[in-house]
Amino acid sequence: MSVHQSSNLKRITTHVLQEMKGRGEKISMLTAYDFSMAGILDAAGVDIILVGDSASNVMAGHETTLPITLDQMIYHASGVVRAVKRSLVVVDIPFGSYQGNSTEALRSAIRIMKESGAHAVKVEGGSEIKESVVRILSAGVPVMGHLGLTPQSIYKFGTYTVRAKEDDEAGKLIADAKVLEECGCFGIVLEKIPAKLAKQVADNVSIPVIGIGAGPDVDGQVLVVHDMLGITQEFKPRFLRQYADLRSTMTEAVENYIKDVKTNDFPSKKESY
Ligand code: KIV
């Protein structure tokens, strides 16, 4: 039975997520970028839908998340919000729309909330964006942090390898998580860091910590939906568990359609007026 068939449908709020962490119930989070996919994820019962700037990669075919614009994020988020009845919808503020100063950050967050109807925003970084995080929160907009491998900084890192393996980077990550918690963020995504460090962070902050490539000892997990459904082809990092092979299923369906069109098998009499 899907959650929408159940009579006690309860919307996921940041407060609900906090309660889940409190009772040790794991939080599920997946990305979505459009109405149809978001409707499937919401009906299946995923707790958080992230309109990630990974849309830049999986929807637009860019190599990095940097090119996607605020207008494009709002477009993706609007479709997602229209489909959702239960999940919390979090939207990435894209590269170049919050790093300048806190006024720009606030303006971008407000545009996302007002124009898409989303429930929260996500930003990458720690102490260096503290002022912006505080400013967005002061307007009543829930903020989620993102530490570890932060794809908007890929040209600073130079590679997509595991972050914070060395003590100094791990120490800064722990301190940044504390900063985000103290600012009032409702959660933090930790991407591609050692599992031991992720556990340390999750144990040391009171807010939910959601991992991607951060091991099992955090409060929840997030994956890019096209990766876990097997739609993307080449991206197969160690942390990815593929739950379906939709690329093969879809390819076979399209090949069968082409064959039926070419052989005049489709449409049949029953499929005609
Ligand atoms: O943009 C995205 O999909 C993300 C997840 C990888 C956490 O930020």
Side-chain angles (χ1 to χ4, degrees):
M1 182 168 80
S2 85
V3 289
H4 288 156
Q5 290 165 297
S6 117
S7 54
N8 54 357
L9 177 73
K10 186 179 174 190
R11 280 210 90 110
I12 302 294
T13 62
T14 57
H15 185 72
V16 169
L17 297 175
Q18 189 64 53
E19 288 174 345
M20 289 170 80
K21 171 158 180 149
R23 57 175 183 267
E25 181 182 341
K26 297 280 182 170
I27 297 164
S28 60
M29 175 166 165
L30 284 171
T31 64
Y33 318 102
D34 65 75
F35 177 86
S36 304
M37 186 70 85
I40 294 170
L41 304 191
D42 183 62
V46 78
D47 298 311
I48 307 175
I49 294 182
L50 172 65
V51 185
D53 57 2
S54 50
S56 180
N57 310 102
V58 292
M59 300 303 284
H62 293 296
E63 220 175 281
T64 73
T65 59
L66 275 66
I68 199 159
T69 65
L70 185 59
D71 283 340
Q72 289 165 341
M73 289 302 297
I74 290 169
Y75 168 78
H76 287 297
S78 304
V80 167
V81 168
R82 281 193 284 274
V84 165
K85 295 187 172 66
R86 173 184 172 272
S87 312
L88 184 86
V89 179
V90 181
V91 181
D92 268 334
I93 309 187
F95 177 70
S97 305
Y98 63 99
Q99 291 92 345
N101 56 61
S102 63
T103 306
E104 179 192 40
L106 177 61
R107 196 176 299 127
S108 300
I110 287 178
R111 277 203 61 203
I112 288 172
M113 301 297 284
K114 228 178 176 31
E115 295 176 37
S116 77
H119 311 132
V121 297
K122 176 164 85 56
V123 285
E124 297 183 3
S127 57
E128 59 286 349
I129 57 158
K130 180 178 171 185
E131 198 186 313
S132 294
V133 170
V134 169
R135 193 91 189 269
I136 298 169
L137 283 161
S138 73
V141 177
V143 178
M144 184 169 221
H146 184 157
L147 300 170
L149 177 65
T150 46
Q152 292 179 10
S153 303
I154 189 58
Y155 289 114
K156 183 176 87 177
F157 299 143
T159 101
Y160 284 99
T161 53
V162 179
R163 302 305 314 172
K165 287 207 286 200
E166 307 301 331
D167 286 352
D168 54 345
E169 196 178 333
K172 174 163 168 33
L173 190 143
I174 291 168
D176 279 342
K178 261 306 192 207
V179 167
L180 293 172
E181 179 193 28
E182 281 160 15
C183 285
C185 286
F186 73 89
I188 301 171
V189 167
L190 292 182
E191 181 164 353
K192 223 170 173 186
I193 63 166
K196 210 168 135 199
L197 174 62
K199 173 174 170 29
Q200 208 181 330
V201 174
D203 289 347
N204 278 293
V205 296
S206 58
I207 54 176
V209 171
I210 312 293
I212 173 164
D217 297 318
V218 286
D219 305 305
Q221 299 292 329
V222 56
L223 287 174
V224 168
V225 75
H226 289 66
D227 297 336
M228 60 84 77
L229 292 178
I231 297 173
T232 41
Q233 209 169 24
E234 273 137 37
F235 187 69
K236 294 210 189 318
R238 167 170 162 175
F239 67 73
L240 174 65
R241 186 177 293 181
Q242 202 180 300
Y243 285 84
D245 183 10
L246 288 198
R247 194 179 184 92
S248 301
T249 307
M250 291 165 82
T251 302
E252 197 183 323
V254 173
E255 284 171 353
N256 284 335
Y257 166 74
I258 294 167
K259 179 172 65 61
D260 289 352
V261 170
K262 301 275 184 198
T263 58
N264 222 12
D265 183 68
F266 174 78
S268 65
K269 267 213 173 83
K270 258 171 75 184
E271 289 158 333
S272 306
Y273 298 98

